[in-house]
């Protein structure tokens, strides 16, 4: 994973703070302190399209009269699953507090 605020790589083992559960879970970046999360709508769309595609593929496999419609629905669900998976990225939920501008202090030492 990559932090969408500081653009550094996140290791799963380095994550120490988490809040929320389920689809609304958020993690804190160990580098910059920003809270990152995924969209619950996208995650539910991803899960829904996966299970609907799996159900329609199994119905199409076992019921010969539903084969054409079930196969078409399974293909559409697979396309939706892939599109939603590409769009479902970590986003910044709460940015870390901005550091105060100390350029006048640093100017003394130049």
């Amino acid at each position: 994973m990559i932090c969408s605020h500081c653009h550094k790589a996140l290791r799963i083992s380095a994550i120490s703070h988490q809040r929320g559960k389920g689809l609304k879970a958020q993690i804190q970046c160990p580098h910059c302190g920003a809270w990152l999360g995924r969209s619950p709508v996208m995650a539910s769309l991803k899960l829904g399209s996966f299970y609907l595609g799996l159900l329609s593929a199994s119905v199409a496999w076992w019921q010969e009269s539903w084969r054409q419609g079930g196969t078409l629905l399974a293909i559409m669900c697979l396309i939706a699953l892939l599109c939603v998976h590409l769009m479902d990225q970590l986003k910044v939920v709460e940015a870390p507090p901005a550091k105060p501008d100390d350029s006048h202090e640093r100017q003394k030492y130049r």
Side-chain angles (χ1 to χ4, degrees):
M1 294 187 300
I2 295 178
C3 176
S4 58
H5 188 262
C6 66
H7 305 292
K8 292 183 181 177
L10 297 174
R11 290 182 302 153
I12 299 293
S13 59
I15 296 171
S16 59
H17 300 294
Q18 177 182 349
R19 64 183 178 191
K21 292 189 180 211
L23 297 178
K24 296 182 181 180
Q26 299 173 358
I27 58 171
Q28 188 177 25
C29 176
H31 303 291
C32 65
W35 285 96
L36 308 169
R38 297 190 187 275
S39 171
V41 174
M42 290 289 185
S44 61
L45 278 173
K46 190 188 306 186
L47 285 172
S49 63
F50 172 75
Y51 285 118
L52 184 62
L54 187 66
L55 179 70
S56 63
S58 63
V59 166
W61 180 265
W62 295 106
Q63 298 291 328
E64 188 173 334
S65 62
W66 291 49
R67 189 154 291 165
Q68 288 180 342
T71 305
L72 180 63
L73 184 61
I75 290 170
M76 297 302 282
C77 288
L78 178 65
I79 291 170
L81 174 69
L82 292 175
C83 291
V84 171
H85 180 69
L86 289 175
M87 294 178 358
D88 187 26
Q89 302 294 324
L90 284 175
K91 63 179 182 176
V92 177
V93 176
E94 184 180 321
K99 295 179 182 176
D101 184 24
D102 61 346
S103 59
H104 63 282
E105 290 290 325
R106 289 184 285 145
Q107 193 69 5
K108 292 191 291 189
Y109 300 108
R110 289 186 183 172

